[in-house]
Structure formats: C-alpha cells, structure tokens
Amino acid sequence: MRRATRSSTKTIASDKPIKPSPVDRKIRQADGRTVALEATPELLEAAKKEPIPDLSQRIDELTRENGRLRLEIRYYQQMQEAIEALLTDVKFAIQIMENSILKFNTAQEVAEEDWCRTLGADRK
C-alpha cells in the first residue's frame, strides 16, 4: 500500500505568478519594485529582451534586489506583529462580550421570574 506524502496530498500551486496586491501597487507608484511586480507578464517579457549585464552590474542589481527583499520582509514582519496584536485584542473583546451576554441572560431570567411571580400574586 502506498503511503500518502505531504506533497502528494497538497494541491500543486499554479505556474502563474502571483498578482500584485494593493501594497505592491503603492510600491510601484513610489517607483519601487516587489517580487509580485517583477513577475507580471509585461516585466517578464521585457526582462527577456534586455541585454545581459556584466558581472559588476549584476552584483549591483542583486544588491539592490536584496535590499528590496529585506524591506519586504520587514513589512511582512510588521504586519505579522500587527495581526497578532489585533487577534489578541479581538479575543479579549469576545471574552468581554460573552461575559456581558451571560450577565444579561442571568439578569433577564431573574427579571422574568420576578415578573411571573408578580403576575401570579396579582391573580390571587
């Protein structure tokens, strides 16, 4: 019997490049570049037609790309921290709301019991 492996059970990602996000578009407006922007069909085709740079130009290009990638990593790390903080706050708010609902339900039951007792006393 063949054992299922992780790679055989997962859906294979599309060969298509990821689409630029709103953040990528803002970066493009500031004359910046991201991996998603560089993977657009237009830029991929343009890159195929560019002449091959010499070694020092390629080193400079890769150094700039490395810097951009470091900035992109920093952005995603900051977003991760913000999301984790938001999740903590939301969980806390949910606890408060659940406690408030429980208190309300208890108070409502007491009020309804009191109301029913009052109505019962008036009928006697």
Side-chain angles (χ1 to χ4, degrees):
M1 176 184 253
R2 185 173 165 248
R3 189 173 152 202
T5 61
R6 184 176 184 96
S7 61
S8 66
T9 58
K10 283 195 144 207
T11 305
I12 297 173
S14 172
D15 288 341
K16 296 179 183 178
I18 59 170
K19 293 184 179 182
S21 69
V23 172
D24 293 312
R25 290 187 203 96
K26 286 183 180 180
I27 291 170
R28 179 189 299 154
Q29 289 173 349
D31 293 327
R33 293 167 51 181
T34 66
V35 173
L37 291 173
E38 290 177 356
T40 59
E42 300 84 23
L43 284 178
L44 289 174
E45 283 301 316
K48 290 177 187 176
K49 296 175 183 175
E50 289 179 5
I52 299 172
D54 69 7
L55 187 57
S56 64
Q57 287 176 326
R58 183 66 177 144
I59 290 171
D60 288 343
E61 183 181 304
L62 291 174
T63 301
R64 283 191 300 278
E65 182 178 353
N66 191 33
R68 284 192 303 274
L69 291 173
R70 287 178 192 272
L71 291 174
E72 196 171 339
I73 288 169
R74 189 174 79 196
Y75 166 79
Y76 285 114
Q77 287 172 335
Q78 290 172 336
M79 289 305 299
Q80 177 71 25
E81 290 174 10
I83 290 168
E84 288 173 2
L86 176 64
L87 181 61
T88 300
D89 291 347
V90 168
K91 284 180 179 180
F92 181 70
I94 289 171
Q95 279 183 329
I96 290 173
M97 291 173 62
E98 286 174 343
N99 290 338
S100 296
I101 291 169
L102 287 173
K103 287 178 185 177
F104 170 79
N105 287 339
T106 302
Q108 183 182 23
E109 287 175 9
V110 169
E112 286 176 359
E113 289 171 3
D114 187 43
W115 178 257
C116 289
R117 274 195 300 272
T118 304
L119 288 178
D122 287 345
R123 290 186 183 168
K124 290 183 181 179

